[in-house]
Amino acid sequence: MSKQYFIRQFSSSIRNYSSAKLNSSQIQYGPLSKAQQAFLDRIIRVDQAGELGANYIYMGQYFVLSSKYPHLKPVLKHMWDQEIHHHNTFNRLQVEKRVRPSLLTPLWKLGAIGMGMGTALISKEAAMACTVAVETVIGNHYNQQLRILMNQYNVDLINKETGEKVEKDDLESVKLNTSPELAELKNNISTFRDEELEHLDTAIEHDAEKAVPYILLTEGIKLICKGAIWSAERV
Amino acid sequence: MLKRLYHSSSHIGSNTIINNNLIESKIFNNAIKLIPKYGFSKNCINESIKNLKYSDSLQSIISWQSDKSYEFQLMLYFLKQKRQELENFTKNTKVEGVDEYEKLSKLIKYRLSLNSPIINELSQGMSQLILPYNLNESIDELYNLSDDLAFYSGDKSHSFDWYAKRFTIGSIYVKSELFMLNDTSENFENTQEFVDKKIDEFKMLSDTYNNIEQWAIFNGISLINLIKSQLIRG
Ligand SMILES: [Fe+2]
Ligand SMILES: [Fe+2]
């Protein structure tokens, strides 16, 4: 034991002495476990389906409301554009990361456009209540995903030159602890979550709570969204 | 079903098809060289072990791997090895083509060309694949191949067409392979023509979204029957 201890002390003092911290080009990220891969697979599939849904809901709302209420037109358009960007991002990830899209995609399209148009046809307040419900569920869902990505994605870092395991202290920056791939994903998800919460605020500013019957509408839609998330993760 | 996982770009080694450092890989890699002599047989694996000067007891390594027969394991390994070679090919060579379909046709032809050293034994190996108790793993591997072919040819579908495409590519591949079994033309030229013809049909039909779905469903039903009838004849 003591011999190993000295070797370790010795090598770490050499490391400190040379004090050359490793940069991104000098390290390599170890493989993900099957469970980690499976979770990423699900994240991308369900988020792609979710953003497709959001895109189509706003499309349906815009179609019905933009001519009747000109003052809502730019508000809806801004949110819709953001959803299109979210949707495109997950479409790209689905292709690049070779994730199977949800088999029920045609159904999500139909359901979402129906929900968007349907609530908008009831009233503009009902459309906003729909937004409140959807964004609440999606915002929570993104937070859950971020928590898991923060806590359960530690992998070994390997020094490219020596093939040895790299300790965290030897990195040039703590950011290098996370691979660019996972950093990008987390970054996207947290940006999107913030934007979803903005949509939520916008909807409340536009009298979502005046929709009748508000509770029935929002709770019903929340249930539908949760059911859809459950299926899109699996099928 | 469809157990393929997320493909990582930063985390090297997350998606390896074959790990050549494993002892069973060494046995199988060597056995594949011996297939023209011994066929897809248990004997082929035993000869490979002998040939590598390993102890006879290593046979048990293969039976620990799975409860499937040696013959089926050899065939499955052969398919994975060739899929690995296809991946290496796409990494080293840029596959040119005016569109996805032309690239797809080239990729299928390349993959089929890897069959030529063992073409006389191939129907023996294929008959292992369609045994009812092996069918699940065979279909998984066929799906892996279609997914690779679709990805390397530049597929970007996001919806139901994603499924239809992989299904259709798989069935084109199997039909072409069956055609190849009886092809005596030089360099399998007739098989290459056959692939081109099937890809042209695929391209024509996929212009209409609905057609590709119907076509895929129709093909799915007839495919298994076709394999059975061809193998009995051949
Ligand atoms: Fe969104
Ligand atoms: Fe949103």
Side-chain angles (χ1 to χ4, degrees):
Chain A
M1 179 227 153
S2 60
K3 194 178 163 194
Q4 277 194 333
Y5 176 78
F6 277 118
I7 294 175
R8 212 179 311 141
Q9 283 299 304
F10 183 62
S11 57
S12 85
S13 63
I14 288 182
R15 235 181 332 210
N16 289 338
Y17 179 69
S18 64
S19 85
K21 299 270 182 181
L22 296 166
N23 64 37
S24 61
S25 66
Q26 293 168 302
I27 51 171
Q28 189 183 306
Y29 295 90
L32 298 168
S33 72
K34 291 277 169 271
Q36 287 171 326
Q37 282 174 283
F39 183 71
L40 288 171
D41 210 64
R42 275 180 159 201
I43 285 192
I44 292 186
R45 177 163 45 257
V46 73
D47 291 354
Q48 180 190 33
E51 295 297 353
L52 172 134
N55 180 359
Y56 277 62
I57 286 174
Y58 282 103
M59 186 191 292
Q61 292 185 349
Y62 189 80
F63 185 72
V64 175
L65 296 177
S66 64
S67 53
K68 244 201 289 190
Y69 304 100
H71 72 286
L72 285 181
K73 201 173 167 174
V75 178
L76 290 171
K77 187 77 185 29
H78 174 69
M79 296 195 285
W80 186 18
D81 282 343
Q82 286 182 327
E83 297 303 354
I84 290 172
H85 172 65
H86 301 173
H87 186 199
N88 286 342
T89 305
F90 280 109
N91 276 348
R92 177 176 58 77
L93 286 171
Q94 176 251 314
V95 168
E96 273 177 21
K97 306 301 176 195
R98 304 183 57 177
V99 171
R100 169 175 74 81
S102 169
L103 180 58
L104 305 175
T105 305
L107 198 70
W108 305 139
K109 285 186 188 166
L110 253 161
I113 201 151
M115 195 188 274
M117 285 180 69
T119 49
L121 284 169
I122 299 174
S123 68
K124 65 181 194 325
E125 289 77 18
M128 293 299 171
C130 170
T131 303
V132 168
V134 173
E135 302 295 9
T136 308
V137 176
I138 293 191
N140 285 335
H141 193 68
Y142 277 154
N143 272 332
Q144 273 172 18
Q145 292 181 351
L146 284 171
R147 249 195 314 272
I148 294 174
L149 288 175
M150 297 290 175
N151 298 328
Q152 297 180 16
Y153 279 79
N154 287 321
V155 295
D156 287 347
L157 301 187
I158 299 142
N159 186 325
K160 267 188 193 169
E161 227 172 273
T162 62
E164 276 169 31
K165 213 179 136 180
V166 175
E167 300 301 325
K168 283 179 188 175
D169 308 338
D170 298 336
L171 295 172
E172 201 180 60
S173 142
V174 275
K175 278 188 182 162
L176 292 180
N177 233 328
T178 312
S179 67
E181 180 181 3
L182 290 177
E184 191 212 325
L185 182 64
K186 280 195 268 191
N187 208 347
N188 277 329
I189 294 180
S190 64
T191 311
F192 295 172
R193 180 217 34 210
D194 293 346
E195 287 173 357
E196 310 302 5
L197 295 178
E198 273 172 41
H199 298 173
L200 178 66
D201 288 342
T202 308
I204 290 178
E205 276 164 32
H206 287 85
D207 303 326
E209 281 156 339
K210 287 189 189 148
V212 183
Y214 178 72
I215 295 294
L216 201 66
L217 212 52
T218 50
E219 292 310 308
I221 291 170
K222 279 182 197 169
L223 271 178
I224 295 172
C225 292
K226 284 177 191 161
I229 286 174
W230 191 88
S231 341
E233 278 178 340
R234 291 162 180 82
V235 185
Chain B
M1 97 195 212
L2 308 188
K3 271 170 275 172
R4 204 74 189 271
L5 291 172
Y6 175 98
H7 275 66
S8 172
S9 48
S10 299
H11 298 264
I12 317 271
S14 301
N15 304 90
T16 39
I17 303 174
I18 276 181
N19 181 352
N20 281 317
N21 296 323
L22 298 176
I23 186 122
E24 58 265 31
S25 301
K26 289 180 181 148
I27 295 173
F28 279 127
N29 285 337
N30 188 53
I32 286 171
K33 294 182 201 145
L34 302 174
I35 288 175
K37 204 166 164 195
Y38 301 104
F40 284 92
S41 64
K42 186 175 177 186
N43 192 27
C44 184
I45 293 173
N46 292 342
E47 289 297 329
S48 166
I49 293 171
K50 237 185 258 170
N51 196 280
L52 289 166
K53 303 208 163 53
Y54 288 159
S55 143
D56 283 350
S57 61
L58 279 178
Q59 280 176 31
S60 53
I61 279 203
I62 309 292
S63 53
W64 288 339
Q65 291 303 305
S66 97
D67 53 358
K68 302 288 183 192
S69 70
Y70 285 52
E71 294 83 350
F72 176 69
Q73 287 194 58
L74 182 57
M75 181 58 185
L76 200 62
Y77 189 91
F78 171 80
L79 296 176
K80 289 189 191 299
Q81 188 198 59
K82 298 306 151 193
R83 199 153 58 75
Q84 179 72 65
E85 284 178 38
L86 181 69
E87 184 189 273
N88 301 344
F89 174 71
T90 57
K91 277 184 181 156
N92 302 325
T93 326
K94 193 171 172 352
V95 182
E96 309 272 358
V98 287
D99 58 13
E100 223 180 296
Y101 298 96
E102 197 180 325
K103 286 184 202 161
L104 182 60
S105 165
K106 285 184 181 168
L107 289 162
I108 292 180
K109 286 176 198 165
Y110 176 77
R111 171 60 190 84
L112 288 171
S113 75
L114 302 176
N115 289 340
S116 43
I118 56 110
I119 191 67
N120 295 323
E121 291 73 33
L122 187 59
S123 66
Q124 189 194 4
M126 284 174 80
S127 55
Q128 289 292 323
L129 297 176
I130 55 164
L131 293 173
Y133 43 87
N134 291 337
L135 207 54
N136 264 347
E137 280 177 71
S138 309
I139 287 177
D140 280 351
E141 182 55 29
L142 177 62
Y143 158 66
N144 286 341
L145 176 65
S146 337
D147 187 50
D148 283 356
L149 288 166
F151 179 73
Y152 301 143
S153 66
D155 169 54
K156 290 195 172 52
S157 41
H158 306 298
S159 181
F160 190 81
D161 47 346
W162 187 96
Y163 293 85
K165 214 172 230 174
R166 274 143 190 84
F167 204 84
T168 312
I169 292 173
S171 74
I172 290 177
Y173 181 78
V174 171
K175 283 177 191 166
S176 309
E177 201 166 60
L178 289 170
F179 187 93
M180 192 183 182
L181 290 178
N182 299 317
D183 184 3
T184 51
S185 62
E186 204 172 321
N187 287 326
F188 300 101
E189 271 159 15
N190 292 344
T191 304
Q192 302 199 27
E193 238 170 74
F194 182 86
V195 174
D196 283 331
K197 206 180 81 198
K198 288 287 157 197
I199 296 287
D200 278 347
E201 285 172 24
F202 179 32
K203 185 178 171 178
M204 248 166 57
L205 278 163
S206 46
D207 289 342
T208 330
Y209 180 75
N210 278 330
N211 274 340
I212 180 176
E213 282 180 45
Q214 286 162 6
W215 201 55
I217 291 163
F218 172 75
N219 272 291
I221 299 163
S222 55
L223 190 63
I224 298 278
N225 290 330
L226 180 77
I227 299 171
K228 281 184 188 157
S229 64
Q230 289 288 315
L231 287 178
I232 290 162
R233 218 164 32 144

